[in-house]
Amino acid sequence: MSLLREHAPADHADLPGPATEQMLAAAEERMGISLHGDLRTWLLQNNLDLPEEDVDDEVACCGFDGFPDEGSFFLGIRAMERLYANRSTSCGFDPPDEPDYPFWRSEWIPFLSDQDGWMGKFVDVRDGRVGSWFVGDPTVTGEYESMAQYFDSLAETLTRIADGSSPVCRFTEGRLVWS
């Protein structure tokens, strides 16, 4: 976030503040699962829910677009809950006859998505590993060992953009601009 604040201050200024412990506890109760410590730490610094008046009921997920890449965005608590409710199942995994190779497990909490909820990243609350899903493709587990490792990769991307070595993105007038 410090790289975003430094190189894209206008984008950074648009982001809402942190979540509170009460917000997280209420979300955990509604979802019926505890958040992983890394996800909790992230949300206590950056709850990226849009203000209620900016939420579009026509899209599955809402958030601040354009970061970390074009077409996807980090989810705030409300968006996480909504997508989690759409993905989790009573038996704990989907499809129910493939427990070893599911498309989704109830222990996975999404934290990044596209607007349709068709693809994104999740954190596994059992061990903190980050995986990704794309509806219709196999789910990738353990793509990153932790959210910290994932955020380190984002810092590298933002550094490449700041250096002018990204062919698809640049900083212009305090904002990330994707080509």
Side-chain angles (χ1 to χ4, degrees):
M1 293 310 276
S2 63
L3 284 170
L4 188 65
R5 182 176 41 251
E6 177 184 346
H7 297 289
D11 283 337
H12 187 271
D14 288 345
L15 302 176
T20 64
E21 281 290 347
Q22 294 81 6
M23 293 167 75
L24 298 182
E28 288 174 326
E29 187 171 328
R30 286 188 295 268
M31 290 190 296
I33 193 166
S34 294
L35 300 174
H36 185 271
D38 288 349
L39 183 58
R40 174 177 288 283
T41 299
W42 165 253
L43 291 168
L44 287 171
Q45 295 173 21
N46 306 287
N47 177 25
L48 300 180
D49 273 328
L50 289 174
E52 288 288 335
E53 62 272 8
D54 293 340
V55 172
D56 183 349
D57 292 331
E58 300 296 315
V59 298
C61 296
C62 294
F64 287 84
D65 59 358
F67 179 70
D69 59 39
E70 185 177 43
S72 65
F73 46 84
F74 288 111
L75 303 174
I77 294 169
R78 287 190 318 264
M80 276 181 201
E81 282 187 73
R82 187 174 176 185
L83 186 53
Y84 181 81
N86 287 337
R87 301 295 313 216
S88 62
T89 64
S90 59
C91 70
F93 44 86
D94 178 31
D97 58 342
E98 294 288 335
D100 295 328
Y101 303 101
F103 291 118
W104 194 262
R105 296 187 69 87
S106 293
E107 296 92 358
W108 298 342
I109 299 181
F111 68 90
L112 181 134
S113 180
D114 66 339
Q115 285 190 332
D116 298 323
W118 286 76
M119 60 176 277
K121 297 205 179 298
F122 60 85
V123 63
D124 189 325
V125 300
R126 298 171 300 173
D127 58 15
R129 293 182 307 147
V130 171
S132 61
W133 84 90
F134 189 96
V135 173
D137 284 346
T139 300
V140 177
T141 58
E143 185 177 12
Y144 297 92
E145 287 302 311
S146 65
M147 286 187 75
Q149 188 183 52
Y150 170 70
F151 284 118
D152 285 345
S153 75
L154 282 184
E156 290 173 18
T157 299
L158 286 173
T159 300
R160 281 194 306 277
I161 294 168
D163 292 344
S165 57
S166 172
V168 296
C169 188
R170 65 189 181 287
F171 292 109
T172 303
E173 298 179 7
R175 297 201 178 272
L176 284 163
V177 179
W178 300 89
S179 357

